[in-house]
Amino acid sequence: MTTGSPSTTSGDSVVRAASVDVTLNGIPIVRGATLDIAKGEVVAILGNNGSGKTTLMRALMGLIPHHGEIEVFGTPLARFRDWVRIGYVPQRGSILVQQATAREVVASGRLGHRRFFLPESAADRRAIADALAEVGLADKATYPFVRLSGGQQQRILIARALATGADLMAWDEPLAGVDHKTQELLAGVATRLKSKGTTIVMVLHELGCFRNLIDRTIVLADGRVMPPGYNHHDHEHPHAGHRDVHGGHEVDETERPRTHRTGLEVG
Amino acid sequence: MEWLSLEFMQRALLAALITGATAPAIGTFLVQRRLSLLGDGLGHLAVAGVGLAFLTGTAPLPMAVLICVIGSIGIELLRETGRASGDVGLAILFYGGLSGGLLLAGLAGQGAGTLAGYLFGSLLTVSAADLWVIGGLGLVVLAVTLGLLPQLFTVSADEPFARSIGLPVRLLNIVVVSLAAITVTVSMRTVGLLLVSALMVVPVATANHLVIGFRTGLLTAMGLGAFAAVGGAIGSYYLNTAPGSLIVVIAIAVFALSWPISQVLQRRHRPIVEVEDPVDPIGHELAEAHLHEHSEDCGHLVVQHADHLDYVHDGHRHAAHEDHYDEH
């Protein structure tokens, strides 16, 4: 695993963000985020609680408003319509289902392919069955979603994203609160996706079982993308050695200077 | 069975059947979104439409539909922008609708008695013209709820995901509230505006007890709602009461009967609990001899322990080991 340095040529960029700011309820959450994720890369967005990693992912998916440039598959987000290419897994817990079966939840992953008022096609049914089998829950298809264990619910949400057939996966905290066995199973799912050339972006708290398959990490701290080499667990004194740690990052910052020039600077 | 030959009863029963089937269909989505009381509020709003119709001398049903649909779309747009998050705004809108309706009806010289027919239903008030409107609107509601069921389900279950796959979330949300508004007003002649919300929620809760699956639940709720509505309409003819009260009482009675059944079903579908930090079993401690054979559906709490399942039995966790159970 290497940190930082995107191994991209501009042509195969899947997600590109330049100077992205996100403000929620008047508070800046993501600040000047710039990143570039290439086709087939497996990238983890890391950071502590409140570092803005989930907010950044939601902005990249077009779920919340942002300032700055975001391109998905080379198209500016505002004009992007090819949503079937994205398999999004939101954080577990936001989903409201009272009595839906596991299969019904997975089936909603096919709606990007289905037309209004038309029933499931044979391809839809196959994709749903395959996705359930991939996460090892084919036998739980008719089971109520709310009665599954936390780890099983997470697997169903991953299966829903798999059912889309997307070639960009965006998983928000897939390992949060799931048992070790499920973590290993999900790492297997991600490995198989990677071998098929799927691009995967994951918001993670810790690399855990995904350590070996992640190509690159993007570390967020206080809403900013940290330069390569920054260890997000090494943050006891975030302002110590400020210049050394931030290095070239200050170049981006000059777009929105925080101090006004006095005109008296030398050179 | 002389009521079957009465023309007003035939119309009333048809109206009840349509109402009984449509109200739970749209109610399923409201319950899913934790908006169980929205139907009640929309009912209050529809009263303003009825009052306005009295004052302007137009037909009450179309006017109520119009006012209620406009109001519901306004509420949804406010909710979307986050400005209706406090429920006080909704309360003011709804009680404004109810009091405004009563006031307008009073100004039009109609007493509370006339309005009561709309608030609690009245078998005598379903005209032939009404029945056409009720039938037409009921058909629209059912066609859209059943036709767009997967889309509406996804939007009400997980809005961020629905957005991420490109569904027109705002449009679908507006469709849900508009259909709810139409359903509420269509129901005013049978179950009445103050009780219609019960018919949107109670059969859904009953179906939730009895069956598994969103689609199955919706269809079951439609059947239960139709049963309560038709049964209540027939019963109210004999008891000479407002049909709304009897319809809702029947719906709640069925709900109460479904309770014990749900307890049995829920035991069979208890979630598996996971041990957060599993330690491999230490030693090899035999459980007391017992004849019961554990399975995932046996009703005992199931615990995921490392690579196997334990079953909580008499305060112990039993793990299957060859021909016996170990204590874990």
Side-chain angles (χ1 to χ4, degrees):
Chain A
M1 189 186 77
T2 60
T3 320
S5 64
S7 55
T8 48
T9 56
S10 55
D12 60 359
S13 174
V14 172
V15 181
R16 208 179 61 78
S19 308
V20 168
D21 291 332
V22 183
T23 303
L24 293 179
N25 299 322
I27 300 162
I29 306 290
V30 173
R31 306 192 261 187
T34 296
L35 55 89
D36 197 339
I37 294 164
K39 186 176 182 309
E41 266 195 306
V42 179
V43 175
I45 301 176
L46 296 172
N48 293 303
N49 288 335
S51 60
K53 50 194 195 300
T54 288
T55 304
L56 174 61
M57 175 171 271
R58 289 167 62 84
L60 295 176
M61 297 294 103
L63 297 173
I64 46 175
H66 66 274
H67 292 283
E69 287 171 44
I70 295 178
E71 279 182 12
V72 182
F73 292 111
T75 310
L77 201 52
R79 284 194 280 120
F80 185 75
R81 293 292 173 269
D82 220 358
W83 297 108
V84 292
R85 297 186 70 180
I86 297 181
Y88 175 56
V89 178
Q91 276 182 25
R92 189 158 53 86
S94 63
I95 181 165
L96 293 174
V97 287
Q98 307 252 330
Q99 57 179 3
T101 61
R103 188 193 184 279
E104 282 177 310
V105 174
V106 175
S108 52
R110 294 301 296 171
L111 292 178
H113 297 270
R114 284 175 63 179
R115 290 175 166 256
F116 281 9
F117 294 106
L118 291 185
E120 276 173 6
S121 68
D124 292 328
R125 282 194 292 275
R126 201 162 45 240
I128 295 162
D130 288 351
L132 278 164
E134 175 67 15
V135 298
L137 288 176
D139 60 326
K140 290 279 189 282
T142 57
Y143 213 77
F145 177 81
V146 286
R147 303 228 167 268
L148 294 172
S149 73
Q152 288 172 332
Q153 288 187 359
Q154 187 66 59
R155 280 147 74 184
I156 289 297
L157 296 188
I158 299 279
R160 180 176 66 171
L162 296 176
T164 61
D167 51 354
L168 166 61
M169 288 289 159
W171 297 355
D172 195 350
E173 298 262 20
L175 301 184
V178 306
D179 56 300
H180 190 72
K181 201 176 123 198
T182 300
Q183 294 198 9
E184 283 177 346
L185 191 140
L186 293 181
V189 171
T191 307
R192 286 189 287 280
L193 283 171
K194 186 183 182 181
S195 68
K196 284 193 291 181
T198 307
T199 310
I200 309 178
V201 186
M202 287 184 279
V203 166
L204 293 177
H205 202 69
E206 283 175 350
L207 293 180
C209 289
F210 288 147
R211 187 172 300 277
N212 293 328
L213 65 114
I214 285 166
D215 298 315
R216 189 156 63 90
T217 58
I218 293 171
V219 179
L220 284 190
D222 199 22
R224 298 168 199 279
V225 175
M226 291 293 107
Y230 181 90
N231 182 348
H232 82 291
H233 289 299
D234 249 2
H235 59 278
E236 277 90 340
H237 303 289
H239 298 292
H242 188 77
R243 296 272 162 192
D244 300 341
V245 172
H246 286 258
H249 193 62
E250 299 284 39
V251 176
D252 291 342
E253 290 285 309
T254 57
E255 283 179 24
R256 280 172 306 287
R258 301 173 128 207
T259 51
H260 295 284
R261 284 182 177 270
T262 57
L264 298 175
E265 289 91 348
V266 181
Chain B
M1 297 287 261
E2 83 273 8
W3 45 267
L4 253 184
S5 57
L6 296 170
E7 218 170 295
F8 80 88
M9 267 310 274
Q10 292 169 355
R11 289 199 297 266
L13 286 179
L14 261 175
L17 184 68
I18 295 165
T19 304
T22 50
I26 192 69
T28 301
F29 297 102
L30 299 184
V31 170
Q32 166 110 328
R33 283 177 60 181
R34 315 263 159 93
L35 288 174
S36 296
L37 293 176
L38 183 71
D40 195 43
L42 292 174
H44 287 53
L45 208 52
V47 179
V50 174
L52 197 60
F54 285 166
L55 198 62
T56 55
T58 51
L61 186 55
M63 181 65 92
V65 170
L66 189 71
I67 296 286
C68 206
V69 168
I70 292 172
S72 68
I73 293 174
I75 292 163
E76 174 55 27
L77 293 178
L78 282 176
R79 189 198 65 83
E80 195 192 75
T81 55
R83 262 174 277 176
S85 52
D87 57 354
V88 175
L90 291 180
I92 290 171
L93 184 66
F94 294 153
Y95 296 116
L98 181 60
S99 56
L102 288 165
L103 189 64
L104 290 171
L107 289 176
Q110 301 279 353
T114 320
L115 212 50
Y118 295 91
L119 296 180
F120 306 108
S122 168
L123 295 178
L124 291 165
T125 53
V126 184
S127 70
D130 281 344
L131 192 58
W132 280 108
V133 178
I134 292 171
L137 291 176
L139 207 63
V140 169
V141 172
L142 283 187
V144 176
T145 42
L146 295 178
L148 294 182
L149 188 140
Q151 285 83 4
L152 297 177
F153 162 70
T154 304
V155 167
S156 46
D158 193 345
E159 207 174 288
F161 180 78
R163 230 175 261 283
S164 82
I165 53 172
L167 286 180
V169 170
R170 174 189 285 177
L171 177 71
L172 290 169
N173 277 333
I174 287 177
V175 164
V176 169
V177 292
S178 309
L179 293 181
I182 291 172
T183 309
V184 163
T185 33
V186 159
S187 314
M188 69 185 182
R189 289 298 166 83
T190 47
V191 66
L193 292 171
L194 288 191
L195 288 171
V196 57
S197 189
L199 204 51
M200 298 177 98
V201 173
V202 178
V204 177
T206 311
N208 212 341
H209 276 167
L210 297 176
V211 296
I212 290 162
F214 187 80
R215 188 191 178 81
T216 317
L218 188 144
L219 295 173
T220 308
M222 282 173 65
L224 292 167
F227 170 77
V230 172
I234 295 169
S236 70
Y237 171 79
Y238 284 108
L239 299 177
N240 198 22
T241 57
S245 52
L246 194 57
I247 289 172
V248 174
V249 165
I250 291 176
I252 291 176
V254 175
F255 172 78
L257 287 175
S258 74
W259 183 261
I261 300 172
S262 79
Q263 292 306 303
V264 177
L265 291 176
Q266 281 190 11
R267 257 173 81 85
R268 287 189 30 209
H269 283 121
R270 266 211 279 196
I272 295 174
V273 180
E274 281 148 7
V275 181
E276 282 282 325
D277 190 13
V279 178
D280 280 336
I282 303 159
H284 177 71
E285 195 182 341
L286 247 67
E288 78 281 15
H290 68 98
L291 300 168
H292 175 74
E293 195 173 326
H294 291 295
S295 74
E296 270 188 60
D297 289 335
C298 70
H300 289 103
L301 188 63
V302 189
V303 179
Q304 179 83 46
H305 182 200
D307 59 348
H308 61 275
L309 297 175
D310 290 347
Y311 301 89
V312 177
H313 189 164
D314 289 341
H316 307 275
R317 281 173 20 206
H318 288 179
H321 184 228
E322 291 171 3
D323 62 343
H324 59 274
Y325 288 98
D326 283 348
E327 301 273 15
H328 279 182

